[in-house]
Amino acid sequence: MYNTDIITKVQNMKIIHCADIHLGSPMSSISDDEKRKERQSELRATFSRMASFAAAEGISAIIIAGDLFDRDRPFRRDRDFFLSTVKANPGVDFLYLRGNHDMDGVCEDFPANLKPFGSSWVSYSYGNINISGVELNVSNCSSVYSTYVADSEKYNIAVMHGQLCDKAGVCEIDRRRLSGRGIDYLALGHYHGYTEQALDSRCTAVYSGCPEGRGWDEPGDCGFVLIETSDSGISHKFIPFARRRFVIRRIDVSGCLDIHEVLGRINAAAEDDSLASPAGSDDMLRAELSGSPEFDTRNLSYETESLLRESFWNVNVKDLTKPPLILGDYENDLSLRGEFIRNVMKDTSYSDGERRRVIMAGLQALEGEEVEI
Amino acid sequence: MKLISCHIEGFGRYSDTDFSFEDGLNCFVRENGGGKTTLTAFLRAMLYGMDGYRCDARGFPDRMHYYPWGKGGNSAFGGNIVFEKDGSEYRIERFFGEKNAKDDRMTVYRNGFPCTELGECPGKTIFGLDSDSFARTVFFMCDDTAVESSEGINRALTGMLDVENGRPGAEEAASKLREKAYEIRAKSRKIGFACDVENEIFNIKNRLFNLKSIEDTLERRYALRSEYERSFDSLKAQKKQIETYNDWLSKKKVYEEKLAQKNASASKLDSIYAKYPEGIPDSDTCMTLSSAASLLPELRAKYASSEFPPDRLERLSILHNSYPQGFPKDSELEELGSIITDLGETEVKIGNTGFRSEDRLSALDEFFRDEGAPEPDEYEDMREEADLLLAREKTITETAARNPADTPEYKRLCEKFCTPVPADLTEKLDDEAKKYVDAENRLQQLITEVSGEEKKKFRISWIPVILMLLSVLLLGAGVILLLMQNPARVPVMIVGASLLVVSASAFGIDSWLQNRVKGSRDMELMSLASEKKKCSETILSSLADYSYFGDDPLSLLNSFKNERNRYLHLKTETEKCSVKLADLKAEADEIRTDIDEFLGYHGIQSALMTSQGLRSAIDRSEQIKNEYKRLCTEKSDSIAKLYVLNEHKKKLLSRRHTLLSRYGLSENCADSREALSRLVSLYNEFTALSAEQKEKAAKRQELSEQISETLSIISGLFSSFGFDCPEENGISAVIHSFSADRDAASALKNELSERELDCEKYRIANIPKEAPAEPDIGSAEADSRIDTVLRNISTLEREIEGCENEASLISGYEEKLREAEEKLRKLDEKRKILLCAADAIEGAERSIKEKYIAPIREKFSGYATKLGAVPGSAFSLDDDFNVSFEAAGAWHRDRSLSAGQQVCCSLALRMSLIESIYEYEKPFLIFDDPFSGLDTGRLEYALSLLKKLGKDYQILYFCCHESRAADNK
């Protein structure tokens, strides 16, 4: 909230800030073909829902801070979908800033409510809000900062796409050169998770994150940021809007006696709301199992995934467990087994993991068991 | 362990033969075929059994070789051996089947008792070696000089019991690991799971390459599509140009047509104008002419038709002559007609007017004639009376219900008290009851006192007791004083004695008093009981008259009094109810009587009606009264009306007579009507004819004037336009032509101006100043090209869609590629691990072997040197017990040794192994003429060794020549 002494008091305005939609993303993190296609549809549906939400809530504009499409040359179907969504919501303006992933995206046939930014600062006004955006390229990535002009009688929102750091580049935004320029809200795209940080005493730089997670590297709540102006100033809040979330849990299954105990720990970890974003039945869960359970873990990941499939929309289990290595008193074991273990333990050419696996394989072979490492 | 003896039942040449063995070296010299090998084979068969064979077996198996000779094959095939081990004596009895090992049977005895601790293969248990290993160590045959170890020897040496339990040894384990590794990738690196994954990667890369190639084509396709779109736009523009030009052409043609039409209209107009130099008669003129011309024939026709017809003239004359005095006036005829009509109506009214309810009125008059009909208030009063009657009847019912006279209780009480109760009976009984109660109370009191005294059977009066005690004390004191010789003793004792007497007397008096009291009390008890009984009897007997029976007079008396009071109360109630009921009934009867009378006044018999029906009867009576009044009124009205009608009728008859007689018409009603109607019709006819005549004459005059005037108008108009007046029958045609020409001229004029305007407008709107450029191609050509471009665009769109679909798979394949590469890496890693594990196992085996091979090597070196087994001093024994020696600067294997040297090597190795394996309990050794190939020197060494070994081992040495015999002593 800022000092509004000089800012014209007009009716409250609402603006949506979103970014990194990545329409056309292949969703390759999902192995199941049907679910992958469903997820692609959900990505589109979320964008459409967001537009409908904006129309229903009387939101003046949606800022798309880059990476609308997943490809430099988006597929026609993705482009047509975007344009049709824009046209279907004529009461909402779509302020489009191209990012590094959609540099050659929609260029022509703009509907009236689709307002692009360019390689120099372009501004659009809505009530007491002035929104200015610029697309960084090789030519302007250093010079844009000095050409920014804030409107002293309005709240100023700046829109850029890149990494906020201490240097300027095509994908780097120099925070020092934006500080103190009269910006109230810096709408950023590039990072796929919601974060915010103060740029100066007046400005907050916000990454809205992507509206739908596309892979395990985008866990947690996804959505957009709703910016509002009122008599007391400009404020913003994150609105979780995703259809589903990627949820990652690291679970130590040491001491588990059977797979059901492992499942119990996984479910407990998934439901634990002391951790961020407990996983629900509509979410996607990755369970990274570590430690040393007390039973045969040869098919642990496959069996666990099969048993959890009904509880979550998508499940991925990474088996990082290490079976207990029962070496016994190999120091004093005069048998071939003991000699073998001693020799391997003494061999410094192995890494710890390799040593463990060599010993396991050798012991299994000497025991007459099926060798599985 | 030591071999003691053996008995051969049947084995080869031996049959029922015994052998015994001593400690140390046992030398057996037998000629060839003496049975040396047979005996050694027997010993071996006892320990390790023999393999079975099939009929088609090749070679000469031992079972076949040593099947018992002689006795027609009837002797048993087997025998037994006796040996000592670990302090116990064992006997193995074993008999074999001819061919099949399943027919063998074996029994082991330990110290004379059967045992199973040696298992199914006693040799293995005893020596810890399998049969093959046995043959390479303990059992030295002449034709087996192999210098090598065996798995069983190795196991025995290393004591790897794991293997004994069925687990694989190092070689097997390493082999398994390598096999597993080669499954991943074979040694040749051309087959295996990893190779499959590599193939998969290769295929994925190929597919990716293809997909990316397709993706690359998208750019070109997008560009081509843009080009097609531009081409399409251009063709559309061209098409538009063609259409514009064609449109211009067609419009120009239309414009020229319009101009031509305009000119044609102008020429037509000019030709019409030429016909009328003075101008075309206007429409008014034409209309005037036309109307005049059309009027003429009409006028003439009218004139012709306006003549009065002769027949009608004649009729008029006849009529005039029929009534020379003239026809009656209209008013008179009208009056006569109305009179006749009115007369008829009046008679009908008279017929309809009359009172028809005379009988009913008479009947009602019977009721109301004398006193007249009751007033409405009286009916209301009667209704109230009826309601009151209902209320009274209800009260009567309720009162009757409350009357206790019919209750069972009252009846019962009446029966009880049917006998009159004297007025003082109750008082008397009360007195008796009081006496009874007093007596009872007193009796209880006395009984209580008596019982209390009995309880205190030994009631003690305190005064005598005190006196008694005092006396005892005094007497006691006196005795003491007496003993003390106190002078006061005598008075004290006297006083004590006196007190004693007094107390005794007091006790006696008290007792006497008590008995006396008791006696009087008993008397009183008896009198009280008697009185009580008397009172009870009095009460009971009195109450019995009223059917009160029982033992308790008080309760009975109480019941009597209560019921009596109840009876009296009910009786009083009954009387009250009866009185009240009587009053109510009287009142009700009175009311009923009034109502019945009132209804009877109206002729309604209500005696049998219920009270509920009376009200409706009263209503009906009021209705009767109203009806009566109404009928009276109707009658008087009808009489008055009839009078008026008759008067009116008289007047009409009089007037009719006057009129009819004036014109000689009958008074008879029917004829007068007819005559009147005939007169009226004649009059009407005469009047009509006269009027018609006059009218026609006037009309003719008027028509004549009109005809003249019309003719003058027509001629005047024609002459004003320079035309002669045509014949009357041709005027219309001329006028028509005037009109036609005028209309035509007007139309042409309008048409001309419209066409001019139209041409101008059309020119302005459609004909540009400059003509459009003529297109290069025609419309059909342009359409054809547009179709082609659209087809191309459509095809390209499909291609683009297909390419985009393909390109969208790239990420998936890249992911698959990553997964496959990761899988490959893991497989290779796994392979490496497996091979490392196999190497490590083999390394472990070697290191273990190294541990036990070293001493064997040392021993072998010693034995070999002594035996001269190997030429030179440079020789070695490797981990697999392969002997190598250096000769002529090169290393050679033991196969390069001579037969004799091999025997020495074999002996050296065997002894080395035996010494290493059997560190504690030495086995017996069997040598079946192994030195037949040795030279003298080596033979001497070998025999010397045997002697030496014989000190530590039991050795069974067989040879076929004395020269090779070994002396144990």
Side-chain angles (χ1 to χ4, degrees):
Chain A
M1 308 296 257
Y2 307 102
N3 186 359
T4 59
D5 289 344
I6 59 171
I7 293 172
T8 308
K9 289 183 179 5
V10 295
Q11 69 182 48
N12 294 349
M13 303 300 295
K14 289 194 274 189
I15 305 288
I16 281 180
H17 162 213
C18 68
D20 300 291
I21 293 112
H22 284 276
L23 291 175
S25 172
M27 300 290 185
S28 53
S29 62
I30 296 172
S31 55
D32 186 276
D33 284 342
E34 288 296 323
K35 286 195 187 298
R36 189 172 37 242
K37 287 177 187 170
E38 191 177 341
R39 199 72 192 112
Q40 288 168 342
S41 297
E42 286 175 356
L43 175 59
R44 285 203 191 89
T46 295
F47 180 75
S48 186
R49 278 193 303 122
M50 184 176 67
S52 301
F53 173 85
E57 295 291 323
I59 288 167
S60 304
I62 296 176
I63 299 170
I64 303 172
D67 283 356
L68 170 66
F69 299 102
D70 193 57
R71 295 164 52 86
D72 291 350
R73 279 283 294 201
F75 289 143
R76 183 167 291 274
R77 56 172 179 253
D78 297 319
R79 198 193 86 147
D80 291 344
F81 166 76
F82 171 67
L83 289 175
S84 68
T85 304
V86 171
K87 288 174 187 171
N89 295 279
V92 179
D93 282 355
F94 290 77
L95 309 188
Y96 175 38
L97 182 106
R98 291 178 298 179
N100 53 308
H101 272 283
D102 49 8
M103 293 309 294
D104 297 323
V106 179
C107 290
E108 62 272 1
D109 299 335
F110 277 7
N113 60 331
L114 176 58
K115 311 219 185 271
F117 295 107
S119 54
S120 58
W121 289 102
V122 177
S123 296
Y124 301 98
S125 285
Y126 297 92
N128 59 352
I129 296 178
N130 181 58
I131 302 173
S132 301
V134 67
E135 296 168 356
L136 296 175
N137 55 41
V138 175
S139 307
N140 70 358
C141 60
S142 294
S143 60
V144 287
Y145 303 95
S146 57
T147 57
Y148 176 77
V149 178
D151 188 336
S152 60
E153 294 183 359
K154 294 186 179 182
Y155 294 112
N156 291 285
I157 294 176
V159 186
M160 300 178 81
H161 185 91
Q163 179 185 351
L164 196 64
C165 57
D166 292 335
K167 61 175 181 173
V170 176
C171 287
E172 284 100 9
I173 300 169
D174 192 340
R175 58 190 303 141
R176 300 169 303 177
R177 299 174 70 179
L178 283 177
S179 175
R181 289 201 172 268
I183 301 172
D184 295 288
Y185 181 94
L186 181 57
L188 296 172
H190 192 59
Y191 278 137
H192 292 179
Y194 171 71
T195 57
E196 61 174 78
Q197 54 182 290
L199 196 67
D200 54 38
S201 61
R202 174 172 178 168
C203 176
T204 304
V206 178
Y207 284 95
S208 66
C210 51
E212 281 283 352
R214 298 173 303 125
W216 298 108
D217 56 340
E218 299 171 358
D221 286 324
C222 295
F224 55 84
V225 179
L226 181 63
I227 307 166
E228 289 186 87
T229 60
S230 63
D231 291 343
S232 52
I234 183 170
S235 62
H236 66 275
K237 63 179 176 181
F238 175 72
I239 308 289
F241 205 71
R243 177 67 180 86
R244 303 183 198 285
R245 294 170 304 157
F246 285 90
V247 179
I248 298 176
R249 290 286 186 267
R250 293 175 179 84
I251 302 129
D252 186 346
V253 294
S254 297
C256 287
L257 299 178
D258 54 35
I259 194 167
H260 296 289
E261 217 171 304
V262 170
L263 284 174
R265 290 196 190 182
I266 291 173
N267 282 322
E271 291 166 6
D272 188 355
D273 56 4
S274 64
L275 304 170
S277 306
S281 59
D282 283 339
D283 294 326
M284 295 164 279
L285 176 69
R286 166 173 278 183
E288 296 178 353
L289 308 180
S290 60
S292 298
E294 300 290 333
F295 62 98
D296 185 356
T297 61
R298 272 183 270 191
N299 292 320
L300 181 62
S301 57
Y302 174 77
E303 288 179 6
T304 312
E305 281 183 5
S306 300
L307 290 169
L308 288 172
R309 204 158 282 147
E310 295 297 323
S311 304
F312 304 97
W313 190 80
N314 189 34
V315 177
N316 176 248
V317 176
K318 288 179 80 71
D319 183 3
L320 303 174
T321 60
K322 296 177 184 177
L325 196 58
I326 303 168
L327 299 179
D329 185 15
Y330 65 89
E331 293 285 349
N332 298 317
D333 188 350
L334 299 178
S335 68
L336 176 64
R337 182 177 182 274
E339 186 68 20
F340 163 71
I341 294 172
R342 283 193 294 277
N343 287 352
V344 175
M345 294 298 282
K346 278 188 295 191
D347 193 337
T348 55
S349 66
Y350 296 128
S351 65
D352 284 343
E354 286 175 340
R355 180 177 294 112
R356 185 186 182 83
R357 295 180 73 194
V358 167
I359 290 174
M360 274 186 60
L363 290 179
Q364 285 171 1
L366 288 172
E367 290 291 325
E369 295 173 357
E370 188 62 33
V371 177
E372 287 293 341
I373 53 170
Chain B
M1 57 193 82
K2 188 175 79 171
L3 195 62
I4 298 172
S5 66
C6 70
H7 168 74
I8 303 174
E9 186 68 31
F11 196 87
R13 61 174 293 126
Y14 289 115
S15 173
D16 195 18
T17 309
D18 295 303
F19 292 92
S20 60
F21 308 101
E22 296 175 0
D23 293 343
L25 181 61
N26 294 263
C27 181
F28 299 89
V29 181
R30 296 279 188 276
E31 68 277 13
N32 295 116
K36 301 182 293 301
T37 304
T38 301
L39 178 57
T40 58
F42 172 79
L43 292 172
R44 186 177 176 179
M46 284 293 109
L47 293 168
Y48 287 96
M50 287 188 292
D51 293 333
Y53 68 91
R54 291 170 55 169
C55 297
D56 56 350
R58 291 184 180 178
F60 196 33
D62 284 353
R63 191 180 286 266
M64 185 190 294
H65 185 179
Y66 296 111
Y67 189 71
W69 299 356
K71 292 192 179 179
N74 291 328
S75 61
F77 183 12
N80 66 66
I81 59 170
V82 178
F83 62 93
E84 179 193 325
K85 182 181 182 310
D86 295 331
S88 297
E89 185 177 291
Y90 291 88
R91 185 173 87 248
I92 299 172
E93 282 187 4
R94 202 161 190 170
F95 294 92
F96 307 97
E98 183 178 348
K99 296 179 186 175
N100 200 334
K102 289 182 184 176
D103 298 331
D104 297 351
R105 55 184 195 285
M106 178 181 72
T107 311
V108 179
Y109 298 89
R110 180 184 170 200
N111 296 328
F113 296 99
C115 71
T116 58
E117 63 191 56
L118 297 184
E120 292 185 0
C121 188
K124 203 169 181 183
T125 307
I126 294 165
F127 294 104
L129 295 171
D130 53 59
S131 177
D132 182 52
S133 300
F134 173 78
R136 292 177 191 282
T137 51
V138 174
F139 189 64
F140 198 167
M141 294 180 69
C142 61
D143 55 355
D144 184 6
T145 57
V147 183
E148 59 186 10
S149 180
S150 67
E151 192 68 34
I153 293 169
N154 290 342
R155 290 195 205 110
L157 287 170
T158 61
M160 286 184 285
L161 297 178
D162 290 348
V163 176
E164 294 298 323
N165 291 336
R167 294 201 180 95
E171 187 180 335
E172 190 180 338
S175 171
K176 194 173 174 184
L177 288 167
R178 288 210 168 82
E179 188 184 321
K180 196 85 180 171
Y182 295 146
E183 279 179 5
I184 293 172
R185 191 192 296 280
K187 248 186 174 178
S188 65
R189 304 186 76 85
K190 289 183 182 174
I191 55 172
F193 300 137
C195 297
D196 294 339
V197 174
E198 282 175 343
N199 289 336
E200 186 185 336
I201 289 171
F202 177 76
N203 292 334
I204 291 172
K205 283 183 175 173
N206 279 341
R207 182 79 175 114
L208 267 174
F209 178 79
N210 292 336
L211 289 174
K212 285 187 174 165
S213 301
I214 292 171
E215 188 187 34
D216 292 339
T217 65
L218 272 175
E219 198 66 38
R220 178 178 59 76
R221 290 178 204 277
Y222 290 143
L224 186 59
R225 193 184 190 289
S226 299
E227 190 182 319
Y228 280 145
E229 284 175 348
R230 283 195 295 275
S231 174
F232 177 72
D233 293 337
S234 166
L235 283 171
K236 290 287 282 185
Q238 258 190 319
K239 176 84 166 115
K240 193 173 170 59
Q241 183 191 8
I242 291 167
E243 286 171 355
T244 304
Y245 180 77
N246 291 339
D247 184 53
W248 175 80
L249 275 180
S250 63
K251 284 178 180 173
K252 185 178 172 194
K253 189 176 172 184
V254 168
Y255 178 68
E256 286 171 355
E257 286 175 0
K258 286 180 186 296
L259 277 177
Q261 286 172 357
K262 187 200 81 172
N263 292 335
S265 298
S267 68
K268 281 183 186 175
L269 186 63
D270 290 339
S271 65
I272 291 174
Y273 282 148
K275 282 165 53 177
Y276 298 89
E278 299 298 330
I280 304 173
D282 56 16
S283 60
D284 291 337
T285 307
C286 288
M287 277 185 65
T288 307
L289 281 173
S290 176
S291 59
S294 63
L295 192 62
L296 263 179
E298 186 182 330
L299 289 173
R300 294 208 186 278
K302 282 183 180 177
Y303 185 82
S305 65
S306 65
E307 185 179 2
F308 195 64
D311 58 335
R312 296 176 82 83
L313 187 62
E314 186 181 347
R315 176 68 183 162
L316 184 64
S317 175
I318 293 170
L319 286 174
H320 187 268
N321 294 331
S322 297
Y323 292 89
Q325 74 275 19
F327 280 89
K329 297 176 184 170
D330 290 341
S331 59
E332 289 177 337
L333 290 173
E334 193 175 335
E335 184 184 355
L336 187 60
S338 68
I339 287 171
I340 293 171
T341 304
D342 196 3
L343 201 57
E345 288 175 0
T346 302
E347 286 181 349
V348 167
K349 283 181 184 175
I350 289 171
N352 291 335
T353 303
F355 184 64
R356 288 175 174 74
S357 302
E358 193 62 46
D359 293 337
R360 177 66 181 159
L361 185 60
S362 299
L364 293 175
D365 202 37
E366 286 286 330
F367 300 123
F368 304 113
R369 179 179 51 203
D370 297 330
E371 298 185 21
E375 297 299 319
D377 292 342
E378 293 184 54
Y379 290 97
E380 198 55 41
D381 291 340
M382 281 298 115
R383 287 193 191 92
E384 287 179 4
E385 289 289 304
D387 292 337
L388 184 62
L389 178 62
L390 281 172
R392 286 291 176 272
E393 286 181 349
K394 185 178 175 186
T395 305
I396 287 169
T397 304
E398 289 171 356
T399 304
R402 286 201 306 271
N403 191 0
D406 294 330
T407 60
E409 183 187 10
Y410 183 69
K411 289 179 181 173
R412 180 179 63 81
L413 291 174
C414 283
E415 280 183 20
K416 269 199 171 176
F417 297 105
C418 59
T419 307
V421 177
D424 60 347
L425 176 63
T426 307
E427 189 178 344
K428 284 182 183 173
L429 290 176
D430 285 337
D431 290 338
E432 291 296 318
K434 187 171 180 308
K435 287 179 188 173
Y436 178 87
V437 169
D438 291 340
E440 176 70 22
N441 290 338
R442 180 65 185 147
L443 206 57
Q444 286 297 326
Q445 187 181 0
L446 287 173
I447 290 170
T448 304
E449 287 173 359
V450 168
S451 64
E453 285 173 0
E454 284 184 355
K455 283 182 184 174
K456 296 178 186 175
K457 198 165 189 182
F458 298 98
R459 185 178 65 86
I460 299 170
S461 173
W462 287 107
I463 296 173
V465 171
I466 294 171
L467 290 174
M468 182 65 73
L469 286 173
L470 195 58
S471 68
V472 169
L473 285 170
L474 286 170
L475 286 172
V479 169
I480 293 169
L481 289 171
L482 180 66
L483 291 174
M484 289 171 66
Q485 299 290 320
N486 192 316
R489 61 187 182 272
V490 173
V492 168
M493 290 189 69
I494 292 170
V495 170
S498 300
L499 283 175
L500 183 63
V501 170
V502 169
S503 66
S505 301
F507 274 117
I509 293 168
D510 183 62
S511 175
W512 177 76
L513 286 173
Q514 282 183 11
N515 286 332
R516 188 175 173 191
V517 165
K518 185 180 173 191
S520 68
R521 191 177 295 121
D522 288 344
M523 289 295 289
E524 188 181 1
L525 279 172
M526 286 175 61
S527 73
L528 285 172
S530 171
E531 186 178 348
K532 178 182 166 185
K533 183 178 175 183
K534 183 183 170 188
C535 290
S536 172
E537 286 175 355
T538 304
I539 293 170
L540 291 175
S541 66
S542 296
L543 293 178
D545 293 339
Y546 302 96
S547 303
Y548 284 92
F549 302 100
D551 296 329
D552 184 1
L554 296 177
S555 67
L556 281 179
L557 178 61
N558 201 28
S559 299
F560 168 80
K561 287 198 289 186
N562 288 338
E563 289 187 349
R564 173 71 179 162
N565 290 334
R566 177 70 179 159
Y567 168 72
L568 291 175
H569 170 73
L570 289 176
K571 189 176 177 185
T572 305
E573 285 296 316
T574 301
E575 288 170 357
K576 283 183 186 175
C577 283
S578 300
V579 168
K580 188 173 179 183
L581 277 172
D583 292 340
L584 288 169
K585 281 184 180 172
E587 187 180 351
D589 290 341
E590 191 179 333
I591 295 170
R592 185 60 191 251
T593 303
D594 289 341
I595 294 173
D596 288 342
E597 189 182 331
F598 179 81
L599 290 174
Y601 185 64
H602 294 75
I604 298 172
Q605 299 300 320
S606 60
L608 298 178
M609 287 184 189
T610 62
S611 302
Q612 285 81 5
L614 290 178
R615 194 185 168 95
S616 59
I618 293 168
D619 293 336
R620 199 165 69 247
S621 69
E622 188 174 14
Q623 288 171 4
I624 293 171
K625 189 266 293 189
N626 292 335
E627 185 187 5
Y628 174 73
K629 282 198 174 297
R630 179 177 58 77
L631 290 176
C632 287
T633 305
E634 280 181 11
K635 184 176 179 180
S636 61
D637 288 344
S638 70
I639 292 170
K641 192 173 177 184
L642 207 59
Y643 175 77
V644 167
L645 286 172
N646 286 324
E647 288 299 313
H648 182 63
K649 181 179 174 182
K650 281 181 190 171
K651 285 183 186 173
L652 290 174
L653 287 171
S654 170
R655 181 61 182 159
R656 187 186 70 167
H657 172 73
T658 305
L659 289 172
L660 288 176
S661 62
R662 185 183 296 174
Y663 294 98
L665 296 174
S666 170
E667 287 271 357
N668 185 295
C669 184
D671 290 342
S672 65
R673 282 187 186 281
E674 189 180 343
L676 177 63
S677 71
R678 196 170 65 248
L679 178 62
V680 167
S681 69
L682 286 176
Y683 170 73
N684 289 337
E685 184 183 1
F686 176 78
T687 306
L689 286 172
S690 298
E692 184 182 345
Q693 186 185 36
K694 283 181 187 169
E695 187 183 344
K696 282 190 184 297
K699 190 85 174 167
R700 281 180 77 85
Q701 180 61 36
E702 186 184 344
L703 286 170
S704 174
E705 288 172 359
Q706 281 181 350
I707 291 169
S708 301
E709 187 179 345
T710 302
L711 283 171
S712 70
I713 290 171
I714 291 170
S715 65
L717 286 173
F718 273 114
S719 64
S720 67
F721 287 94
F723 289 92
D724 295 330
C725 183
E727 296 290 328
E728 263 191 49
N729 55 3
I731 291 175
S732 295
V734 174
I735 294 171
H736 183 70
S737 70
F738 286 168
S739 296
D741 288 343
R742 189 190 65 255
D743 291 340
S746 176
L748 283 169
K749 203 171 168 185
N750 289 336
E751 186 180 300
L752 184 61
S753 70
E754 281 177 8
R755 285 205 164 128
E756 282 174 353
L757 189 62
D758 185 40
C759 284
E760 190 57 25
K761 278 186 184 174
Y762 192 83
R763 185 188 64 77
I764 292 168
N766 298 297
I767 310 295
K769 286 181 183 173
E770 289 181 17
E774 191 171 349
D776 299 328
I777 58 172
S779 176
E781 176 67 19
D783 287 339
S784 169
R785 291 184 187 181
I786 287 171
D787 285 342
T788 303
V789 170
L790 285 175
R791 273 199 303 276
N792 291 340
I793 289 174
S794 173
T795 303
L796 193 59
E797 283 284 355
R798 284 196 295 277
E799 288 176 5
I800 287 173
E801 187 180 350
C803 289
E804 286 181 346
N805 288 337
E806 291 288 288
S808 67
L809 299 174
I810 288 174
S811 298
Y813 275 99
E814 284 174 345
E815 183 66 24
K816 281 185 185 175
L817 179 63
R818 278 192 293 274
E819 287 173 0
E821 287 172 343
E822 176 67 16
K823 187 177 176 183
L824 180 64
R825 185 190 65 76
K826 285 185 177 175
L827 283 172
D828 283 335
E829 192 179 296
K830 185 176 176 181
R831 182 176 186 273
K832 177 188 164 190
I833 296 291
L834 291 168
L835 291 176
C836 287
D839 292 340
I841 286 174
E842 288 174 342
E845 188 188 44
R846 279 196 298 276
S847 62
I848 284 179
K849 276 187 180 178
E850 196 60 34
K851 288 175 190 169
Y852 64 75
I853 281 185
I856 295 174
R857 192 177 285 125
E858 193 179 331
K859 290 184 173 72
F860 174 79
S861 175
Y863 282 117
T865 301
K866 286 178 189 172
L867 288 169
V870 181
S873 60
F875 58 88
S876 70
L877 187 68
D878 64 16
D879 292 345
D880 293 321
F881 302 111
N882 295 313
V883 177
S884 302
F885 66 96
E886 188 183 11
W891 285 90
H892 305 276
R893 284 288 308 275
D894 57 282
R895 289 189 289 272
S896 300
L897 295 170
S898 66
Q901 286 169 328
Q902 285 185 13
V903 168
C904 291
C905 275
S906 179
L907 178 60
L909 180 61
R910 283 166 191 264
M911 291 317 299
S912 304
L913 290 173
I914 288 166
E915 283 186 8
S916 296
I917 291 171
Y918 303 105
E919 209 171 327
Y920 301 106
E921 185 167 13
K922 312 288 184 190
F924 52 85
L925 307 177
I926 302 172
F927 288 83
D928 182 11
D929 207 3
F931 306 134
S932 58
L934 293 181
D935 57 34
T936 306
R938 286 185 172 78
L939 177 61
E940 190 176 336
Y941 290 145
L943 291 175
S944 146
L945 180 61
L946 273 184
K947 283 179 189 172
K948 190 175 174 186
L949 288 173
K951 292 175 184 174
D952 296 323
Y953 292 88
Q954 182 189 33
I955 298 174
L956 304 182
Y957 173 60
F958 299 90
C959 63
C960 64
H961 199 271
E962 283 292 337
S963 62
R964 291 196 293 275
D967 186 1
N968 197 19
K969 296 178 182 174

